[in-house]
Amino acid sequence: MAEVVKMPKMSDTMTEGVLAKWHKKVGDKVKSGDVLAEIETDKATMDFESYQDGTVLYIGVEEGNAVPIDAVIAVLGKEGEDYKALLDGGGDAAPAKTEDKPAEAAKPAEEPKPAADAKPAAPVAEKSATAKPKVDTSNIPATVIRMPLLSDTMTEGTIEKWNFKVGDKVKADDSLADVATDKATMEVVGYEEGTLLYIGVKEGEAAQVNGIIAIVGKEGTDIQPLLDNADGTGGEATEAAASEGAGEATPAASNDQAPAAAQSSGSTADDSRVKASPLARKIAKDKGINLNDVKGSAEGGRIIKKDIENLTASAQPATASAPAAPAQEAAAKPAEAAAPAAKAPVVLPTYTGEEKFTERNVTQMRKAISRRLSESLFTAPHFYVTMSIDMDQAIAARNKMNDVAPVKISFNDFVVKAVAVSLKQHPAINSSFLGDKIRTNEHVHIGVAVAVDEGLLVPVIKFADGKSLSHISQEVKEFAGKAKGKKLQPAEMEGSTFTISNLGMFGVDEFTAIINTPNACILAVSGIAQVPVVKNGAVVPGNVMKVTLSADHRVVDGAMAAAFLQTLKSLLEEPVRMMI
């Protein structure tokens, strides 16, 4: 009998998984224990094994796609067995190409219902709702122009000025309107050639991003189906706006004609009414150029950016030398002639480099990091306590130990051991906040943050207080190797009661870390710096390491945090004490 294969929960914090790779395809034979696929969780990429024998009848998720836990990802059974009933009953099955046909077959059965309901329906809302699936707008020779997303924080834009009116011919590169966003005033280009058939937003009014602001197409085209079929934020294009479309364009046209007249006459030095794009106007202002002296190349003589950039150097002094002075007067007053030349504005060459970037999908690990650390930082009230530790004796002790130790002991191993011993003396720091309860852990499990290419993993050294430095060193090295090779198992990353984040190997002087909830604290360990210190009244070279404890104020108070760091400091400054 065929059985569904669902997305398993492979870690305690996993909510969905990404099918990184399928090892089997439809029609392949599978035995219990065979690896079906590689699944990327929020912590690692892991092999997913089959727990049954059979043939792969169905694959419901393409490689690279994410699926929630318990969603159907495959079906195994006897070759040729009918499995469709399992998918119909599963509900969670992820969409797949193999199921496109049944989905399409279901559509005709659903369409008659709204058609039948539409007859007695009086409200306009119901009429428009049933009209959407029935009206095909693909053959209408017109294109809807929507409010574009002109900045990463923009939610709506205000039409400052329409550069065309209903009935005007527009080209693909024409700027239809000037739009004020939350950051600047920018041009909206329609990218369509034809006649402006409709204006949906008046000058001075705002439209939501993706809302209909205009329609461009073949003259005489019926645009009502496009407005009826407006989806999502296209609701701005109401019937009222449609009836006012022609009227809205009239003031825009009169505004455009006045600047055009001013430009052609060139009779006034004030260029505020000259027809120009906002960007062109800004560049002209920065360069000290009067727009009356620039000839526009866009529709209707409108000045755009390239007109300002193409303006030759001789065009600027032309205004200053327009009232031609007699040759005799110029010869008589050479000093006066030179003075204006010295005051002429300096025009700096504009340099435009090529902006480049790459984008990549957010991995499951980065999603988990983003979610969990955001929850921690914005939920747990963090406070920070920093202390400097004299590492002279720790350095000397480490050198002697490494002469005889079976594995090389690092300073991070010293910190792990010292923290574990300190936590036994300060159990309040070894606690967790659980909503209506505070759990004080009697065992000590130290999470050690390990950086990997995709983000951050935190393997756990369990019962660290009872382990030797050599044992801790060996375990940390093994976990680091597994983390780099994506071989860490979920059980090896669960159950921490305290976390250490060490950036000392990067020469960091000091930093703070975000608590790895539900732990109450995390210790940020910096590098060992050689600095002058005072010992016995004399300034001598010293080796100092700074540590910063981030604590959850719902569990730990300042005095508790300071006392814990004092104990940690004493253990690291006299390492023999933590060996007892």
Side-chain angles (χ1 to χ4, degrees):
M1 180 179 177
E3 294 185 27
V4 296
V5 180
K6 296 185 177 183
M7 175 62 70
K9 184 173 183 179
M10 306 179 84
S11 79
D12 57 339
T13 57
M14 176 180 172
T15 57
E16 64 178 9
V18 172
L19 249 301
K21 182 180 179 181
W22 280 105
H23 286 268
K24 303 291 181 181
K25 61 182 182 295
V26 173
D28 284 356
K29 301 291 184 183
V30 177
K31 294 181 180 180
S32 178
D34 285 351
V35 176
L36 281 180
E38 293 178 18
I39 295 177
E40 180 188 346
T41 73
D42 56 339
K43 292 184 175 179
T45 299
M46 307 174 67
D47 292 338
F48 176 46
E49 297 179 357
S50 172
Y51 295 100
Q52 62 209 63
D53 298 339
T55 301
V56 179
L57 305 176
Y58 165 83
I59 287 179
V61 185
E62 294 183 359
E63 290 183 356
N65 288 350
V67 182
I69 288 172
D70 289 334
V72 177
I73 60 174
V75 176
L76 300 182
K78 294 181 180 180
E79 189 171 0
E81 188 176 355
D82 184 13
Y83 59 87
K84 301 294 174 63
L86 290 173
L87 298 180
D88 294 338
D92 291 332
K97 295 181 180 177
T98 56
E99 291 304 299
D100 288 344
K101 291 183 180 179
E104 292 172 4
K107 288 183 181 177
E110 295 174 359
E111 286 181 0
K113 292 182 180 179
D117 296 342
K119 292 181 181 179
V124 177
E126 293 184 18
K127 180 180 177 182
S128 62
T130 57
K132 287 184 180 180
K134 294 169 63 177
V135 178
D136 182 12
T137 61
S138 60
N139 295 325
I140 297 178
T143 301
V144 171
I145 309 298
R146 298 182 181 273
M147 176 63 71
L149 183 67
L150 298 170
S151 79
D152 54 347
T153 57
M154 175 181 172
T155 58
E156 65 177 15
T158 300
I159 302 292
E160 287 205 339
K161 181 180 179 183
W162 282 105
N163 299 318
F164 296 89
K165 62 182 184 296
V166 172
D168 285 354
K169 303 290 183 183
V170 296
K171 296 178 182 178
D173 59 348
D174 281 340
S175 173
L176 297 181
D178 297 340
V179 173
T181 72
D182 56 339
K183 293 184 176 180
T185 299
M186 308 172 74
E187 299 176 356
V188 172
V189 179
Y191 301 107
E192 297 292 337
E193 189 164 337
T195 301
L196 184 58
L197 305 175
Y198 168 81
I199 289 179
V201 183
K202 294 180 181 180
E203 289 185 354
E205 292 185 352
Q208 294 293 318
V209 170
N210 206 39
I212 294 179
I213 59 174
I215 296 178
V216 175
K218 185 178 179 181
E219 191 171 0
T221 300
D222 180 14
I223 63 171
Q224 194 57 44
L226 292 174
L227 298 176
D228 291 341
N229 277 24
D231 60 312
T233 53
E236 289 86 359
T238 60
E239 292 182 5
S243 63
E244 296 171 1
E248 292 165 0
T250 305
S254 61
N255 288 344
D256 289 349
Q257 290 168 358
Q263 180 182 348
S264 60
S265 64
S267 59
T268 175
D270 182 12
D271 62 359
S272 61
R273 302 293 292 172
V274 175
K275 193 175 180 182
S277 72
L279 182 58
R281 191 176 295 279
K282 182 180 184 303
I283 295 174
K285 182 179 179 181
D286 293 343
K287 293 187 175 184
I289 297 174
N290 191 308
L291 293 177
N292 289 306
D293 301 324
V294 182
K295 183 177 181 181
S297 61
E299 188 76 19
R302 188 166 180 265
I303 299 171
I304 58 179
K305 176 184 175 183
K306 69 177 183 179
D307 299 325
I308 304 297
E309 293 178 342
N310 292 340
L311 186 66
T312 60
S314 59
Q316 278 191 278
T319 54
S321 58
Q328 297 85 352
E329 184 180 347
K333 299 179 180 180
E336 292 179 12
K343 295 180 181 179
V346 177
V347 180
L348 298 176
T350 57
Y351 175 77
T352 54
E354 183 180 1
E355 295 183 352
K356 294 183 179 180
F357 61 87
T358 58
E359 291 182 346
R360 64 184 186 279
N361 292 330
V362 179
T363 64
Q364 293 299 106
M365 186 182 296
R366 289 243 68 92
K367 287 180 182 178
I369 292 171
S370 173
R371 182 182 70 253
R372 295 195 64 199
L373 294 188
S374 295
E375 288 174 357
S376 172
L377 186 61
F378 300 126
T379 303
H382 286 50
F383 74 92
Y384 311 97
V385 181
T386 301
M387 190 167 286
S388 297
I389 300 174
D390 183 350
M391 294 294 287
D392 284 347
Q393 290 195 40
I395 293 173
R398 175 177 174 266
N399 291 336
K400 291 180 179 179
M401 288 180 185
N402 280 336
D403 290 337
V404 295
V407 292
K408 188 175 181 180
I409 299 170
S410 69
F411 289 113
N412 189 65
D413 302 329
F414 269 76
V415 173
V416 172
K417 179 64 176 178
V419 165
V421 175
S422 300
L423 289 174
K424 295 297 287 185
Q425 298 180 37
H426 301 274
I429 305 297
N430 197 39
S431 301
S432 303
F433 185 80
L434 304 177
D436 58 346
K437 296 178 182 178
I438 294 176
R439 174 181 296 170
T440 300
N441 300 293
E442 297 180 7
H443 58 278
V444 177
H445 291 351
I446 305 293
V448 180
V450 177
V452 294
D453 292 340
E454 298 83 1
L456 195 69
L457 296 176
V458 186
V460 180
I461 309 296
K462 296 184 177 179
F463 306 105
D465 57 308
K467 294 180 178 178
S468 67
L469 282 169
S470 297
H471 193 159
I472 291 172
S473 178
Q474 183 65 38
E475 209 166 323
V476 170
K477 287 179 174 62
E478 287 179 1
F479 282 150
K482 285 185 177 182
K484 301 291 184 183
K486 300 180 180 179
K487 299 298 183 182
L488 273 176
Q489 298 301 307
E492 295 171 327
M493 296 180 281
E494 297 172 356
S496 67
T497 62
F498 187 95
T499 305
I500 295 172
S501 178
N502 191 341
L503 294 179
M505 64 288 295
F506 298 104
V508 172
D509 293 329
E510 185 179 349
F511 73 104
T512 57
I514 299 174
I515 297 170
N516 181 28
T517 54
N519 298 171
C521 298
I522 185 172
L523 186 71
V525 182
S526 303
I528 299 174
Q530 289 189 327
V531 296
V533 296
V534 178
K535 290 184 178 181
N536 300 321
V539 177
V540 296
N543 294 282
V544 175
M545 178 181 74
K546 286 187 177 181
V547 295
T548 298
L549 184 73
S550 304
D552 184 347
H553 222 322
R554 297 172 299 181
V555 182
V556 178
D557 293 325
M560 297 180 189
F564 168 78
L565 287 184
Q566 279 183 332
T567 301
L568 178 66
K569 175 183 173 74
S570 66
L571 291 174
L572 287 172
E573 291 186 342
E574 295 182 73
V576 69
R577 293 180 58 192
M578 61 183 171
M579 309 300 176
I580 301 173

